[in-house]
Amino acid sequence: MPYLADTENVSSGERRDYWRHVVSHAFVPLEASFPREDAGFDGRLRGATLGALGVYDVDTGAHAAHRTAKLTTAAPAECYKLGLVVSGRGLLGQAGRQAVLNPGEFAVYDTDRPYTLTFEDPSRLLVLIFPRTMLGLPQDRIAQVTATPISGESGLGALVGPFLLQIGALLEEVETHGGARLAGNVIDLVATTLAGRLDLTADPGRTRNALFLRITSYIEAHLGDPGLGPAEIAGAHHISTRYLHKLFRAEGTTVLAWIRERRLDRCGRDLRDPLQSLRPVSAIAVKWGYTDASHFSRIFKAAFGLSPREYRHGQALCARGQDEASPLPRP
């Protein structure tokens, strides 16, 4: 389950000390200061671990987090952090640089060099923390771009924001299913973006992975289109269908198998959702691109071992506590 900390569960007089503990536990040892120690403070942090990558969704009131020289010496971490501002504004300072981060902008910073991240107003941000070695880029070159804002509106930076937002919204799901593999895709995309900023020649493998991530994000956004297939996907990304198939073979799968698995996973999720219990099975199938009810029923049963109606009925029994069986299967 994702890590969760919320100041709502703490008395008002203890919230600032609680938040100091929360951010130090989730990231690296930090000091926190507040505009007024006697003022109220609200903060909420959700996080998940995907292999060696930590992903955190942070809602915070006004405060500043300080990674001091004393702390970097006493508790070295050899990690990078990436902060993406979702709402509000952040001010990041490191190595003599000051980066003002507005919504959609992000920056990378080194946990083993002093830094300060300040929020003058309530803000929300997504934070990644990962070992420096994961990037596969020279650390002396990365040091040139820490605390430098990267736009989320152009270039590869435009892929980072939406992708991280989607991960932040599905922390529990991504932690449970394929977390380590997803972490590799995230880091590849970040590394390719930074390589572009530094005018480095990116590893061809990383470039391919960034393209694969872009393609799978496109598939996710178009799962409901019954006509979604290799030709449309390749055309949307200006590559040949042959190269598209090559990308998926390198991942040990095929384009159609990937689409089928993602559609079935979405159908299973909707059938498990009690808020959609009155929605016809056929409507759920159509929502995710299956217009032939008998075809949908066959492939669903092949993947889950139950027909869609049996699957939904089993979920209802589990929810009422009338079934002691293990959790319902996923494709």
Side-chain angles (χ1 to χ4, degrees):
M1 293 290 289
Y3 175 76
L4 174 64
D6 196 332
T7 57
E8 272 195 2
N9 303 318
V10 181
S11 66
S12 58
E14 298 177 338
R15 289 184 176 185
R16 288 170 292 280
D17 286 339
Y18 174 72
W19 192 250
R20 290 184 179 100
H21 169 77
V22 165
V23 295
S24 291
H25 176 74
F27 304 120
V28 290
L30 297 165
E31 294 180 359
S33 61
F34 302 84
R36 287 182 53 196
E37 288 291 334
D38 59 341
F41 176 81
D42 294 306
R44 184 173 184 269
L45 181 147
R46 295 170 59 245
T49 301
L50 313 180
L53 172 69
V55 183
Y56 296 89
D57 185 347
V58 186
D59 279 292
T60 179
H63 82 290
H66 310 276
R67 177 74 165 160
T68 65
K70 182 178 179 179
L71 288 174
T72 61
T73 301
E78 298 184 354
C79 288
Y80 290 124
K81 292 171 73 175
L82 181 150
L84 167 70
V85 173
V86 180
S87 62
R89 189 176 72 163
L91 177 63
L92 173 64
Q94 185 171 66
R97 291 186 288 271
Q98 296 285 329
V100 177
L101 300 176
N102 294 303
E105 295 179 329
F106 61 93
V108 171
Y109 41 114
D110 190 336
T111 62
D112 284 2
R113 304 183 73 182
Y115 68 81
T116 296
L117 182 56
T118 304
F119 302 97
E120 297 178 348
D121 299 295
S123 301
R124 179 186 169 211
L125 70 155
L126 291 172
V127 179
L128 309 184
I129 181 167
F130 51 91
R132 291 188 299 203
T133 54
M134 286 185 71
L135 274 184
L137 297 173
Q139 293 181 18
D140 59 337
R141 298 298 305 275
I142 296 296
Q144 298 173 17
V145 293
T146 55
T148 300
I150 298 176
S151 172
E153 297 183 354
S154 60
L156 285 173
L159 294 177
V160 174
F163 184 54
L164 293 184
L165 286 172
Q166 188 175 30
I167 292 176
L170 300 171
L171 281 180
E172 182 174 350
E173 182 175 337
V174 298
E175 184 180 48
T176 305
H177 304 286
R181 180 176 173 183
L182 180 60
N185 287 334
V186 172
I187 297 303
D188 283 342
L189 180 58
V190 172
T192 305
T193 302
L194 292 176
R197 294 279 295 204
L198 292 165
D199 198 25
L200 295 173
T201 301
D203 183 330
R206 292 192 184 279
T207 304
R208 284 194 298 272
N209 284 341
L211 175 59
F212 183 78
L213 176 59
R214 184 179 175 185
I215 289 169
T216 53
S217 296
Y218 177 88
I219 291 173
E220 202 72 20
H222 294 82
L223 286 175
D225 178 5
L228 182 66
E232 176 190 335
I233 296 167
H237 295 85
H238 310 291
I239 59 175
S240 67
T241 54
R242 181 179 179 182
Y243 186 62
L244 176 70
H245 289 305
K246 181 179 178 180
L247 288 173
F248 279 81
R249 279 198 303 271
E251 298 294 324
T253 186
T254 67
V255 181
L256 295 179
W258 185 283
I259 294 172
R260 181 174 63 250
E261 180 177 334
R262 296 305 303 137
R263 281 176 169 164
L264 289 173
D265 184 74
R266 293 294 186 175
C267 290
R269 184 195 63 180
D270 285 357
L271 291 170
R272 295 191 301 271
D273 185 355
L275 297 180
Q276 301 195 52
S277 61
L278 299 180
R279 190 172 192 179
V281 169
S282 59
I284 290 175
V286 169
K287 174 184 175 183
W288 297 112
Y290 291 112
T291 56
D292 185 327
S294 60
H295 171 67
F296 169 66
S297 184
R298 284 195 304 272
I299 65 169
F300 188 94
K301 186 170 185 178
F304 287 87
L306 300 169
S307 72
R309 287 178 175 78
E310 291 169 339
Y311 188 85
R312 170 179 270 177
H313 180 63
Q315 174 60 37
L317 290 177
C318 289
R320 291 198 298 268
Q322 297 175 3
D323 186 20
E324 298 179 357
S326 59
L328 288 173
R330 296 172 186 267

